[in-house]
């Protein structure tokens, strides 16, 4: 299992038994290092050992594009109720942060990534997340395998982050169990609208598109206020479910 | 297991073997009813059987106050990475929607509710959510049991929705595993600020307070726009973690 | 000049010399009543005399539709710098609140309202606002009079709140003085985008579309927070100017 | 009168008769240059002559701090209805953009700036804005001159952008005409709350604090969305009025 050794802003991924060279000296990671241990470099500088949690995965996974941010992953989970034992079908794996989060909740995830080299990176990222067992990263275009994938169903949740999401939404009634959810992530209004319209045409219910604006608060000795730095738009999330 | 029988806007909680009287006729719920089944009333009206998912719990749990909305539950999950096997300590159970969500992700949750009668309702809600096994609802004030609860630790995540959250945040370094998170839900700026300041004073890192504004989009034949109805403030969420 | 007599939530439009019947008694408005005077009903209840300001006009003008809200009027003024002596061409008069605000700033406003009966109401509203002299309400469709109106120019600012705004934006370079602004109010994204694209195609510069979300803060003894009631979307404002 | 000569992103303040050296050659500004004229450098490059409008003042005034942005100036105007002939009392002149905007609407503005050297710059900025006649910039602390200033009243609008705004708000009933408005700009929640509470204690009515979030929309060939860059918090605006 890959661990994190941490000291202030310094964070390094390490394997047990590894020798890590840092600007604060060389760190020997013992074979029996455990989360919570304190390790010391040859210059006597201390690092803490940590197990990777969801936000650490977001920070340390190898990126093949802009990954879905924790805010949007959270909104997907909150609005679909993904849980352990759920069967999730995902398309547009990318870096795989969403798949890793869902896998870590005990869901059984099948995820399609159209670029084989990105799928390969995503597989390594699932290893890092400790979810290689329950996240199946497939290189390919889900829209070309829908007939077969329907046979593998039903799924409880469908999470889509691809431009051609509407083509999958059309088949959601066949792919999903009763009461199952589809979520579509769309950077642009037009895509979000197309997803919502396709969901309605496909007979899905509780169709809604949400935009979520998140701001950090600044608390200092002068007072409290939302940050003056601004936090930008990420994407719209469209949800719908089968009856 | 309690099921949901659904038809359009009509949704009823039922037990297998139950006889349900609806305005569309009497429905006999068979002993072997399964999610996905279609049931028919004596007036020949159809209902669909559904297993309850997270959002259904939000809609159907008995409320003892305003429960945390799916948006905020999601933000908690996204920012703390709660996952299966996590040990979560929660205070301010209320209706118990957050505990139910976390329990359904396979987390082992201990939650304190100060009012015994609310704790009782929350326990029934955990039954409904199918998480009675891994969510331990305790009637009591967590701040009065901190010494004992520290002994039960370490926890991976601490989720607080109480006015005296800072008293618990102070002890977070003792309660949490390395890299573990605390999240505090605060309706008011002043409470959020107090939580953030206490977290900093307690030596926690990555302290941040987030405000999340969510809007529904309206898509009709005239065009696309954010809803004109407005969606209001719920609460601030403050996050911090141990080093 | 129409005045306002005010007491708490009670507000009445009155003319000097008028006898006003209220639930607090009859009020004789003297011929020499002045803003700031206190008047007394025959039941000895007091009312204050007030001159109408912009927000009062928004509240008391006869409405022929949903008028532009003070927030959006303000954004138009802030982003175009409308000032005294400016020549403003407006289309989509509606209730006329924007025209009244601009007229009260000393601008010379020509405004087109396609429905003659709405134009008539708008004229009465300009009387109420005391700007009948410098706001010329014309019944008609501006797009049908563009050639003539170009002859009347140049204008300093063009404010459009009509569905066919792009047809006018196309002619903005002919209608506007150097450095003059066009503003387009659009409830929907699609209209806003069409306005912005037309502005770019017409060679206008500094093209931008803004969305403005406004929330009221609640301050009570429990603390400070944005209102939980929510304030909805009104419209997008697109600005552009001639070089 | 100072003019602007413009070409694309290049903008220069010039006086008539001036010789301007640019990277595109030397420009002789004729004594009779008028807005709308096209001028040519000795390298045959063209510039357009423009009169300064409000947003140009925001861009070109000499800054002595972060000036109020057009959005907030607009909200002040929309919520107080400042108009020609209004008497405005302002404190916290700063760069003077708000005073210049109000002056350009024909209002008669008295503005206090505590730092004499900033007041001097503000006076020059009023010259640039062409409002030296109706904007009286006074070096001094308004809170120390309240008794005298009350004698000069009543004012129609009071615009405050100072930390000790509540001290002035207390006197608003004496300073303002009937139905007159006070607006207070506060970067922090605590200041906004203090302003609102003081307004209520002073017997003012229609007290409200607004927060305004503004975002730019991005329209490109891929679709439409709010900018991903984020636009930050500026300040809260508190409004109240006399009865």
């Amino acid at each position: 299992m890959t661990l994190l050794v941490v000291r202030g802003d310094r964070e390094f991924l390490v394997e047990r038994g590894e020798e890590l060279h840092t600007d604060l000296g060389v760190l020997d990671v013992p074979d029996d290092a455990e989360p919570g241990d304190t390790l010391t470099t040859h210059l006597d500088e201390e690092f803490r050992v940590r197990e990777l949690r969801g936000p650490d995965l977001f920070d340390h996974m190898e990126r093949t594009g802009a990954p879905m941010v924790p805010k949007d992953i959270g909104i997907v989970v909150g609005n679909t109720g993904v849980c352990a034992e759920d069967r999730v079908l995902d398309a547009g794996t990318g870096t795989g942060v969403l798949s890793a989060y869902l896998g870590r909740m005990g869901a059984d995830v099948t995820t399609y990534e159209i670029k084989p080299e990105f799928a390969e990176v995503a597989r390594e990222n699932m290893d890092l997340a400790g979810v290689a067992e329950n996240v199946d990263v497939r290189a390919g275009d889900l829209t070309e395998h829908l007939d077969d994938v329907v046979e593998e169903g039903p799924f409880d949740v469908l999470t889509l982050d691809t431009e051609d999401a509407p083509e999958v939404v059309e088949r959601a009634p066949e792919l999903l169990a009763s009461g199952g959810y589809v979520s579509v992530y769309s950077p642009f209004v037009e895509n979000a609208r197309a997803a919502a319209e396709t969901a309605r045409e496909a007979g899905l219910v509780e169709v809604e598109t949400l935009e979520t604006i998140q701001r950090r608060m600044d608390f200092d000795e002068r007072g409290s206020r939302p940050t003056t730095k601004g936090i930008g738009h990420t994407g719209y999330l469209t949800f719908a479910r089968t009856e």
Side-chain angles (χ1 to χ4, degrees), chain A:
Chain A
M1 188 178 65
T2 305
L3 296 168
L4 212 48
V5 293
V6 178
R7 175 187 169 126
D9 287 344
R10 288 173 179 84
E11 299 197 348
F12 303 96
L13 292 173
V14 295
E15 301 296 331
R16 290 191 174 97
E18 181 182 337
E19 189 183 84
L20 174 74
H21 292 255
T22 81
D23 61 322
L24 297 177
V26 179
L27 194 71
D28 281 308
V29 184
D31 290 330
D32 60 353
E34 286 296 331
D37 288 355
T38 298
L39 304 181
T40 312
T41 69
H42 82 290
L43 296 178
D44 231 32
E45 300 284 351
E46 295 189 341
F47 280 81
R48 233 14 220 292
V49 180
R50 178 190 293 175
E51 209 169 335
L52 282 87
R53 297 191 58 80
D56 297 315
L57 294 170
F58 180 80
D59 289 341
H60 291 284
M61 276 181 166
E62 184 180 341
R63 297 192 175 188
T64 54
M68 193 178 283
V69 301
K71 173 194 72 167
D72 294 318
I73 293 172
I75 301 298
V76 169
V77 172
N79 281 272
T80 63
V82 174
C83 62
E85 313 299 320
D86 262 0
R87 295 195 61 208
V88 179
L89 175 62
D90 177 72
T93 319
T95 300
V97 184
L98 176 61
S99 289
Y101 260 83
L102 303 185
R104 284 165 48 84
M105 288 167 196
D108 187 55
V109 182
T110 301
T111 177
Y112 278 82
E113 167 53 48
I114 204 165
K115 296 196 187 170
E117 65 277 22
F118 284 13
E120 196 45 47
V121 173
R123 266 181 218 115
E124 284 158 28
N125 283 337
M126 295 312 112
D127 268 337
L128 179 65
V131 294
E133 300 260 306
N134 52 330
V135 178
D136 178 12
V137 181
R138 298 181 184 173
D141 182 343
L142 172 58
T143 62
E144 291 174 6
H145 298 82
L146 282 169
D147 291 332
D148 294 340
V149 175
V150 163
E151 294 302 307
E152 296 181 50
F155 296 91
D156 298 293
V157 177
L158 205 48
T159 55
L160 307 173
D161 181 3
T162 57
E163 267 196 69
D164 53 11
E167 289 181 47
V168 184
V169 173
E170 264 176 28
R171 306 288 298 271
E174 297 162 73
L175 290 161
L176 288 172
S178 174
Y181 280 95
V182 55
S183 95
V184 181
Y185 178 87
S186 318
F188 299 100
V189 173
E190 290 82 356
N191 303 144
R193 183 178 177 119
E197 287 178 347
T198 306
R200 282 203 182 85
E201 286 159 17
L204 299 179
V205 297
E206 298 180 28
V207 181
E208 66 174 1
T209 297
L210 298 173
E211 190 202 0
T212 310
I213 302 169
Q214 196 169 67
R215 300 191 299 172
R216 196 163 283 129
M217 297 296 290
D218 280 346
F219 297 138
D220 66 22
E221 67 289 346
R222 294 167 302 164
S224 310
R225 61 175 166 182
T227 176
T228 57
K229 279 173 211 149
I231 291 193
H233 171 79
T234 55
Y236 299 94
L237 279 164
T238 301
F239 296 98
R241 85 192 291 192
T242 51
E243 240 203 349

